[in-house]
Amino acid sequence: MLDLLKTPIVYLKGVGPAKSEVLKMELGIFTYEDLLYYFPYRYVDKSKIHTISEISDDLSYIQLKGQIRSIQIIGEKRTKRLVAKFEDETGSIDLIWFNSIKWIVDSIRPNTTYLLFGKPSIFNRRYNITHPELDVFSNETKVSFISFQPLYNTSEKLKKRGVDSRAVSKMAYAMLQQIKGSIPENLSADIIQQNNLLSREEALFNIHYPADKQTLARAIHRIKFEELFFNQLNLYRTKQLRLTRIRGHEFPLVGDFFNTFYHEKLPFELTQAQKKVIKEIRADLKGPAQMNRLLQGDVGSGKTVVALMTMLIACDNNYQSCIMTPTEVLAQQHFATIKNLLADMDVNVEILTGSARVAARRKILENLANGTISIVIGTHALIEDRVVFKNLGLTIIDEQHRFGVAQRAKLWGKNNPIPHVLVMTATPIPRTLAMTLFGDLNVSIIDELPKNRKPIKTMHFYDKNRLRIQGIMREEIAKGRQIYVVFPLIEESETLDLKHVNDGLEALSHDFPLPDFAISVVHGKLKPEEKQYEMDRFKKGETNILISTTVIEVGVDVPNASVMIIEDAQRFGLLQLHQLRGRVGRGAEQSYCILVTGYDLTQDGKDRISAMLHTNDGFEIANLDLKIRGPGDIDGTRQSGLLDFKLADLSKDDAILLKARQTAESLLKVDPEIEKTENTPMKKFLLQTKYKTNWVFIS
Ligand code: ADP
Ligand code: MG
């Protein structure tokens, strides 16, 4: 049977070659199916007719019933407009058109009753409605109106060809009549029944032509469920394939390196959470499958030492490991920390970054290839082609958000079998996102900070209160503590960046002058070694204050620092603010995070500041961030095409996601290859989608 849904859109009644061309170009609608999945962005309630006297400031789109009493053309050229007086039994209101004036003048019939649809706005302290939709009112019009009218996005080009929201709605209607009974179900009867879902066909019909409010809600629910269900089904499948078909390196031993470090060198007791995570990693490494684990832990939760201990297991099994970091400063930091922790242990650790000198680099490359180096820490310099390992068994990626999927794959490709991968992130990922994006990874969470840390006190000061901020700074410096002052990165203008930093330096040098005080400055214009020099001075305690743009955002560890001052805090994203705050509070003393802003805060800015004042918990921050921003612009998710849900909204639909996940899980438990007859709807659908690669080689 021919697949009706694949019919080219040109064959739809009322479309034709010209319209079909713009539909393709402007909306990507090539076939019936594309139109079927071109969903309205909003619905308006047309079941109610308002009166003019009821119009108030908070009305959005409304319907009015009345007559046009007079029309008049006002203004010249760009201000030229058509104004019509529209009246019902309660009053009158101006209707205004800026375009198609002649056409409107010709078509308006005086003393005829119209049903009007539009959005009132206020101009010169009077209500008016620009570009309303008008329909001659008759009993027939009334009947033909559905109570919930869908609104579709179109474009100027489409509107010029007469394809406005209404026209799309009409096309959808014509198509639905034609394909009735031919939309294949893609969920099994069991799943539909257990989750009390509408059928796929009924849902799609109601998305375009809602019968009523309740059915519309159920239709939307069904589509959301479907989207999330297939996402979860696919992720489980990927995970299954990884565990069963991709061979990994087996690390059967925990030997001298690990044990010596653990029993003799570790300067503190591990937290319960760190121990738990190391056990989880250990279990992965022992087995025959490749590890692919995401390690989440709030800033300061102690991920570095977990990474190190994992690498020591690799050493015990005669494998090399590497840590990839997004910045050179962070690579240096890890290098110093790890060298220091390992002290006199016989492990060869090296660092490879873009700024390594030629001779040194050659030596390092040689020693990576012959296996003399056990652990290498570096930036993306590590993924250059000339970097060859003797036997890379483990790759650790710190702060994964900054590495693209392709970059990661390149590193994996360096060895066969591909190394175990541990991805560490301090950016807490909200549960819904973690489930939908990383559902194929195993996840470990460090949900506990080392003991004896006092929660950081977060405060908000306006610019005007500099003296109070200075007071806190003086007190802390007097106690021997150190202070970060961070300025926002002004992306449009590096000069402006520098100006802010320099102005800040000038002001602070005035208040905290030499020789009693010393200040370090780090910004994007400095060379890597200059940055390093300034960072080192601060780290060694030679300077009291470190002024910087966001370069210290990731990973810097100076436990003696106790104050984080964030200038123009409203310019930072919520997660960024939280990351910055995590730079202090690493010692046993009370620490402070001071957010500085002007009075002119946007609502968004206020929300972020108040979220910071309200909680220290990274996961709560991540969830709030998702609510404030929506999931759209989380790094990498857009391009990856992983999260192209049409209706599901990860900031709201946790409950549906959980259901979908459970459903996918139980399905795969009983029918792992989805081959039972009752599950053919799912199988057929999967084989048609982008998910098919995971399912094609099913026998
Ligand atoms: P992050 O998870 O942000 O990378 P780090 O690994 O940099 O955190 O650790 C933050 C600080 O806490 C470091 O100074 C580290 O030495 C210290 N630390 C880590 N684990 C513990 C622990 N179990 N007890 C005490 N201090 C710890
Ligand atoms: Mg870290």
Side-chain angles (χ1 to χ4, degrees):
M1 198 186 83
L2 223 128
D3 189 350
L4 207 49
L5 292 181
K6 298 283 183 241
T7 312
I9 199 70
V10 66
Y11 296 121
L12 185 65
K13 202 174 83 189
V15 174
K19 274 186 192 167
S20 85
E21 219 34 54
V22 273
L23 283 172
K24 279 180 210 169
M25 301 304 288
E26 299 286 300
L27 304 180
I29 296 177
F30 290 77
T31 63
Y32 280 19
E33 187 169 26
D34 296 335
L35 178 59
L36 186 62
Y37 274 88
Y38 192 71
F39 291 170
Y41 66 93
R42 191 157 103 67
Y43 300 85
V44 285
D45 187 350
K46 286 210 160 178
S47 58
K48 184 163 170 50
I49 296 176
H50 284 85
T51 61
I52 292 173
S53 66
E54 281 173 341
I55 296 175
S56 67
D57 291 355
D58 51 40
L59 281 180
S60 66
Y61 284 88
I62 54 167
Q63 276 187 133
L64 299 170
K65 193 176 102 181
Q67 302 191 327
I68 289 175
R69 291 299 176 208
S70 65
I71 51 176
Q72 189 179 5
I73 294 172
I74 304 180
E76 306 251 345
K77 294 199 172 134
R78 294 186 57 212
T79 64
K80 186 168 159 185
R81 61 197 188 273
L82 175 68
V83 180
K85 203 166 274 310
F86 185 82
E87 239 178 56
D88 69 6
E89 55 280 12
T90 69
S92 80
I93 186 170
D94 284 347
L95 309 182
I96 299 174
W97 286 268
F98 295 98
N99 307 324
S100 324
I101 292 180
K102 186 171 168 349
W103 189 82
I104 304 281
V105 173
D106 290 345
S107 57
I108 280 180
R109 285 187 257 156
N111 303 321
T112 305
T113 304
Y114 282 102
L115 194 61
L116 172 153
F117 176 69
K119 189 175 190 306
S121 53
I122 298 180
F123 184 71
N124 275 346
R125 287 191 273 143
R126 278 176 56 88
Y127 289 111
N128 65 52
I129 299 178
T130 33
H131 291 188
E133 283 176 19
L134 289 174
D135 280 289
V136 175
F137 183 84
S138 66
N139 289 337
E140 199 189 319
T141 16
K142 201 176 176 189
V143 174
S144 74
F145 271 117
I146 45 163
S147 55
F148 269 85
Q149 183 177 317
L151 296 184
Y152 297 86
N153 274 316
T154 64
S155 67
E156 281 312 311
K157 270 194 190 150
L158 280 160
K159 282 183 191 137
K160 275 203 189 111
R161 290 207 162 58
V163 185
D164 56 6
S165 169
R166 268 183 172 192
V168 176
S169 177
K170 278 188 190 142
M171 284 180 211
Y173 187 73
M175 175 189 66
L176 289 169
Q177 296 314 311
Q178 211 182 325
I179 63 177
K180 208 175 226 163
S182 317
I183 301 178
E185 183 51 69
N186 59 11
L187 295 175
S188 68
D190 263 6
I191 290 180
I192 290 178
Q193 199 227 323
Q194 275 159 20
N195 295 282
N196 188 24
L197 301 173
L198 291 184
S199 74
R200 182 155 178 251
E201 175 152 321
E202 210 177 341
L204 287 169
F205 265 71
N206 274 281
I207 292 280
H208 293 284
Y209 265 78
D212 53 54
K213 210 171 178 169
Q214 288 73 29
T215 321
L216 175 61
R218 290 191 65 201
I220 291 173
H221 177 87
R222 148 83 207 211
I223 301 294
K224 286 179 171 181
F225 182 92
E226 180 184 315
E227 288 180 330
L228 294 168
F229 170 78
F230 283 109
N231 164 279
Q232 290 298 302
L233 195 63
N234 187 56
L235 287 171
Y236 272 98
R237 176 70 178 177
T238 311
K239 191 166 168 179
Q240 229 176 16
L241 292 179
R242 177 165 56 75
L243 293 179
T244 55
R245 308 214 183 193
I246 300 181
R247 197 168 59 89
H249 300 278
E250 282 183 44
F251 292 1
L253 298 174
V254 169
D256 283 351
F257 287 118
F258 184 94
N259 286 321
T260 308
F261 177 77
Y262 186 47
H263 296 295
E264 294 170 25
K265 308 287 174 191
L266 191 61
F268 38 71
E269 166 136 25
L270 293 178
T271 61
Q272 288 311 316
Q274 285 169 319
K275 286 185 190 163
K276 175 195 72 186
V277 166
I278 291 173
K279 279 200 190 112
E280 287 166 351
I281 292 172
R282 168 78 191 113
D284 283 356
L285 299 178
K286 241 192 312 209
Q290 183 236 0
M291 171 172 82
N292 211 348
R293 190 168 276 280
L294 178 69
L295 171 56
Q296 288 194 62
D298 211 343
V299 258
S301 62
K303 293 183 292 295
T304 314
V305 72
V306 172
L308 175 58
M309 292 176 74
T310 306
M311 293 192 293
L312 290 175
I313 299 179
C315 289
D316 278 333
N317 291 276
N318 278 314
Y319 279 99
Q320 295 170 294
S321 9
C322 69
I323 302 189
M324 273 217 291
T325 65
T327 66
E328 194 148 339
V329 167
L330 189 53
Q332 293 287 357
Q333 159 104 36
H334 278 322
F335 182 60
T337 309
I338 286 174
K339 277 277 220 199
N340 190 29
L341 281 168
L342 289 175
D344 53 358
M345 281 179 66
D346 186 19
V347 181
N348 194 356
V349 185
E350 270 303 341
I351 176 163
L352 183 68
T353 64
S355 64
R357 296 195 193 290
V358 181
R361 165 187 294 260
R362 193 179 306 128
K363 190 86 199 128
I364 293 173
L365 292 180
E366 214 175 282
N367 288 338
L368 282 173
N370 67 27
T372 333
I373 295 175
S374 305
I375 294 177
V376 63
I377 298 157
T379 52
H380 49 268
L382 279 179
I383 57 177
E384 287 167 20
D385 287 332
R386 54 191 162 154
V387 183
V388 177
F389 291 86
K390 178 157 185 262
N391 60 349
L392 180 65
L394 168 70
T395 294
I396 297 179
I397 299 173
D398 198 9
E399 304 299 341
Q400 54 82 219
H401 275 325
R402 307 192 176 208
F403 283 107
V405 176
Q407 279 175 311
R408 262 188 269 161
K410 200 164 172 192
L411 196 69
W412 298 355
K414 278 188 183 296
N415 272 65
N416 192 15
I418 55 180
H420 296 294
V421 176
L422 181 68
V423 176
M424 304 198 291
T425 175
T427 311
I429 301 167
R431 194 182 50 159
T432 49
L433 259 189
M435 276 168 56
T436 42
L437 267 182
F438 304 115
D440 63 323
L441 304 189
N442 294 90
V443 179
S444 288
I445 297 176
I446 304 185
D447 51 4
E448 175 190 3
L449 293 179
K451 281 197 282 285
N452 72 31
R453 294 229 179 123
K454 289 203 183 69
I456 302 161
K457 281 199 181 124
T458 303
M459 299 176 270
H460 174 208
F461 287 113
Y462 292 107
D463 278 330
K464 300 280 178 295
N465 296 328
R466 289 281 159 198
L467 283 178
R468 290 178 59 195
I469 302 174
Q470 265 183 37
I472 298 175
M473 293 173 76
R474 273 177 212 289
E475 266 175 41
E476 288 298 303
I477 293 177
K479 285 190 228 156
R481 304 276 106 79
Q482 290 164 285
I483 297 174
Y484 294 106
V485 181
V486 177
F487 288 87
L489 202 70
I490 319 273
E491 268 169 24
E492 319 82 77
S493 158
E494 278 191 30
T495 358
L496 208 54
D497 267 6
L498 214 55
K499 181 175 175 333
H500 283 192
V501 169
N502 285 335
D503 289 355
L505 174 62
E506 206 180 302
L508 284 170
S509 311
H510 181 263
D511 299 327
F512 297 91
L514 285 165
D516 295 338
F517 304 93
I519 302 177
S520 296
V521 186
V522 177
H523 55 77
K525 282 267 158 121
L526 296 181
K527 297 203 182 78
E529 56 279 14
E530 293 172 322
K531 268 188 212 169
Q532 199 55 49
Y533 173 75
E534 290 290 309
M535 293 292 312
D536 283 347
R537 289 212 303 155
F538 186 68
K539 203 159 179 183
K540 287 188 211 142
E542 292 169 11
T543 55
N544 312 94
I545 301 174
L546 175 73
I547 302 181
S548 84
T549 44
T550 43
V551 285
I552 58 163
E553 182 192 329
V554 175
V556 183
D557 184 29
V558 181
N560 188 49
S562 63
V563 184
M564 167 63 65
I565 299 174
I566 306 176
E567 297 284 346
D568 277 331
Q570 77 283 355
R571 282 180 168 267
F572 292 85
L574 187 50
L575 287 173
Q576 236 179 345
L577 289 173
H578 180 68
Q579 295 278 309
L580 286 170
R581 174 167 61 185
R583 298 299 126 217
V584 296
R586 301 186 155 221
E589 307 77 28
Q590 180 61 57
S591 293
Y592 305 89
C593 173
I594 299 176
L595 308 171
V596 189
T597 71
Y599 289 104
D600 53 340
L601 288 174
T602 59
Q603 188 56 47
D604 243 35
K606 279 183 200 152
D607 287 350
R608 275 174 277 143
I609 303 283
S610 84
M612 285 289 289
L613 296 176
H614 160 77
T615 180
N616 262 321
D617 178 331
F619 283 91
E620 206 176 329
I621 294 269
N623 283 322
L624 288 168
D625 181 62
L626 188 64
K627 294 238 150 64
I628 296 175
R629 281 193 313 162
D633 47 353
I634 289 174
D635 289 338
T637 56
R638 262 229 186 100
Q639 310 92 295
S640 70
L642 273 168
L643 291 184
D644 51 357
F645 300 131
K646 283 202 182 306
L647 293 182
D649 175 352
L650 295 179
S651 56
K652 297 196 188 108
D653 295 328
D654 324 27
I656 307 177
L657 176 58
L658 277 178
K659 266 270 171 156
R661 174 193 173 95
Q662 284 160 8
T663 309
E665 216 171 357
S666 15
L667 170 69
L668 288 181
K669 270 199 193 112
V670 279
D671 188 8
E673 301 292 331
I674 316 213
E675 56 199 354
K676 296 197 165 158
T677 328
E678 63 267 30
N679 294 327
T680 14
M682 273 95 90
K683 180 67 162 288
K684 273 199 177 142
F685 181 76
L686 282 167
L687 292 177
Q688 283 173 17
T689 62
K690 60 179 179 194
Y691 298 140
K692 74 165 172 267
T693 41
N694 266 344
W695 302 87
V696 277
F697 51 83
I698 299 167
S699 53

